[in-house]
Amino acid sequence: MDMRGSRHSRRRVVAGIGAFAAVLALPAAHAARSFVRTPPQSTGPFYPRDFPLDRDNDLARVAGAPQGAKGTIAHVGGRLLDEDGRAIAGARIEIWQCNAFGRYHHPGDRRDAPIDPGFQGYGETVSASDGAYRFRTIKPVPYPGRTPHIHFAITAPGERRLVTQMYVDGAPENARDFLLNSIRDDAQRRAITVAFNPNDSLEAGALAASFDIVLARDPRFQPG
């Protein structure tokens, strides 16, 4: 990978986090709030075997591709926190999802659906000093057997890795998705079901979704 490009991507990440946080008015202080642990979920079969060369936090634009990703652009971000609302900085946050046609960028997905060369399928970033993170991607779509979702994996300093999934509030497929409905705690289920709202101030025609991730201090709530 071109390290100059990598440094440029990191500068874009830092600048983008600040703009996204301002637009969503993410609170700097969390006194007197209750923080719901983000529940662990399955990694699924499509975590990358081979990582793309371009794997920054902008999944909707691939370096060298003549066009951007198909689908509706979505800016997804929030803060990484502990159960007391304290920011967790320096954590690696990964996401992966299927493209706008419902196909993963993975050799194990052999379904007859188009591959989108303008969509990375996977991206990663590092949480800022206030725990903030941001991705530019597409609004997730369903694929056979699953409701729209984005996979997340969080590796924080001194913590066990958390794998979870984020779902689209109001998606009709939510009612019958086996993984989403395997979460019996209503508060935890609401915590990972996120609204995607129009936000032209970020980008014309784009959506924005705010997803705070709360790491459990008790290892029993983390995947093994």
Side-chain angles (χ1 to χ4, degrees):
M1 180 183 295
D2 186 338
M3 294 305 294
R4 291 173 299 176
S6 178
R7 287 193 295 270
H8 180 63
S9 294
R10 291 190 188 100
R11 287 195 296 270
R12 292 203 323 267
V13 169
V14 172
I17 286 172
F20 188 78
V23 167
L24 294 182
L26 297 174
H30 296 276
R33 281 187 56 190
S34 175
F35 293 88
V36 176
R37 299 181 184 102
T38 301
Q41 291 231 281
S42 167
T43 304
F46 300 126
Y47 182 78
R49 292 181 189 170
D50 299 305
F51 294 99
L53 293 178
D54 187 358
R55 57 185 189 187
D56 61 8
N57 71 328
D58 187 350
L59 282 70
R61 173 66 64 181
V62 176
Q67 295 181 332
K70 305 294 185 185
T72 302
I73 298 297
H75 293 258
V76 176
R79 299 184 72 198
L80 183 62
L81 308 167
D82 67 17
E83 290 181 277
D84 297 317
R86 293 184 295 249
I88 299 175
R92 181 187 181 205
I93 302 173
E94 308 167 76
I95 68 170
W96 63 101
Q97 66 186 104
C98 64
N99 66 24
F101 306 107
R103 182 169 179 172
Y104 279 87
H105 187 71
H106 189 282
D109 190 346
R110 300 187 177 91
R111 291 176 302 108
D112 186 18
I115 293 172
D116 183 359
F119 184 58
Q120 280 179 198
Y122 169 93
E124 60 184 51
T125 191
V126 175
S127 59
S129 59
D130 62 352
Y133 74 92
R134 176 195 175 192
F135 289 96
R136 180 176 182 264
T137 184
I138 62 170
K139 182 181 180 181
V141 302
Y143 73 92
R146 290 303 315 278
T147 195
H149 64 280
I150 299 176
H151 296 266
F152 278 73
I154 300 93
T155 307
E159 302 285 346
R160 297 181 69 185
R161 185 172 183 253
L162 169 70
V163 176
T164 192
Q165 297 181 29
M166 186 196 78
Y167 298 88
V168 178
D169 185 38
E173 298 87 356
N174 287 350
R176 55 183 181 272
D177 188 86
F178 69 99
L179 272 177
L180 175 58
N181 290 293
S182 70
I183 302 170
R184 301 303 182 187
D185 184 277
D186 289 342
Q188 286 192 324
R189 195 162 56 248
R190 287 194 300 269
I192 59 173
T193 306
V194 176
F196 281 71
N197 296 313
N199 199 317
D200 287 342
S201 62
L202 284 171
E203 183 176 349
L207 304 174
S210 179
F211 180 43
D212 285 354
I213 301 167
V214 179
L215 296 187
R217 70 172 68 90
D218 188 334
R220 289 175 300 174
F221 288 88
Q222 301 285 354

